[in-house]
């Protein structure tokens, strides 16, 4: 059972910012890669950003320069700082264990991000 809990979503105007958090309640530590995905209504889930154990990061072209992924291993938490939000960033955001993949093959509830234009 996946025990990843996402939070921090909400309604924001275009150009605004949000910071998402993902806490892993299922492990004692966070010594593995983590990835953020998102799924807009009627669309497939897509990759957003990933961070390795050694803090190497990778971003989808659509968010590069606007989003920043980071981690706090002691808190078992991964963050996604989202700046300069656009209407097309509206989606449910999910985190997953793995590098640009979901190694658990199951998903938490996610957190809804809605950007008004």
């Amino acid at each position: 059972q996946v025990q990843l809990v996402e939070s921090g979503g909400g309604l924001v105007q275009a150009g605004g910012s949000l910071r998402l958090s993902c806490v892993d309640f299922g492990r004692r530590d966070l010594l593995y890669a983590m990835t953020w995905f998102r799924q807009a209504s009627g669309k497939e889930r897509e990759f957003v950003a990933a961070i390795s154990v050694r803090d190497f990061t990778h971003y989808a072209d659509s968010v590069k320069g606007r989003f920043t992924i980071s981690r706090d291993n002691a808190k078992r938490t991964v963050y996604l700082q989202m700046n300069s939000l656009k209407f097309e960033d509206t989606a449910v955001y999910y985190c997953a264990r793995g590098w640009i993949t979901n190694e658990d093959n199951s998903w938490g509830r996610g957190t809804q991000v809605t950007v008004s234009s």
Side-chain angles (χ1 to χ4, degrees), residues 56-108:
F56 179 79
T57 58
H58 182 61
Y59 298 92
D61 287 343
S62 59
V63 307
K64 201 171 295 183
R66 300 187 297 121
F67 291 10
T68 302
I69 188 171
S70 62
R71 61 192 298 152
D72 185 333
N73 294 339
K75 295 183 178 180
R76 297 175 294 164
T77 301
V78 177
Y79 303 99
L80 187 67
Q81 177 66 43
M82 306 187 296
N83 298 329
S84 302
L85 282 162
K86 304 177 181 180
F87 175 75
E88 49 265 40
D89 293 319
T90 296
V92 179
Y93 284 70
Y94 303 88
C95 62
R97 300 178 186 127
W99 177 254
I100 315 180
T101 187
N102 182 351
E103 294 183 350
D104 296 306
N105 290 318
S106 62
W107 300 93

Side-chain angles (χ1 to χ4, degrees), residues 15-89:
S17 299
L18 283 174
R19 187 196 195 200
L20 307 184
S21 299
C22 167
V23 181
D24 191 340
F25 289 101
R27 302 283 181 88
R28 292 186 177 181
D29 52 50
L30 200 68
L31 299 180
Y32 38 86
M34 294 291 291
T35 300
W36 282 98
F37 295 86
R38 67 185 180 186
Q39 186 168 22
S41 180
K43 296 186 178 181
E44 292 186 355
R45 189 172 282 130
E46 64 177 4
F47 164 73
V48 176
I51 186 166
S52 73
V53 174
R54 297 188 177 185
D55 290 343
F56 179 79
T57 58
H58 182 61
Y59 298 92
D61 287 343
S62 59
V63 307
K64 201 171 295 183
R66 300 187 297 121
F67 291 10
T68 302
I69 188 171
S70 62
R71 61 192 298 152
D72 185 333
N73 294 339
K75 295 183 178 180
R76 297 175 294 164
T77 301
V78 177
Y79 303 99
L80 187 67
Q81 177 66 43
M82 306 187 296
N83 298 329
S84 302
L85 282 162
K86 304 177 181 180
F87 175 75
E88 49 265 40
D89 293 319

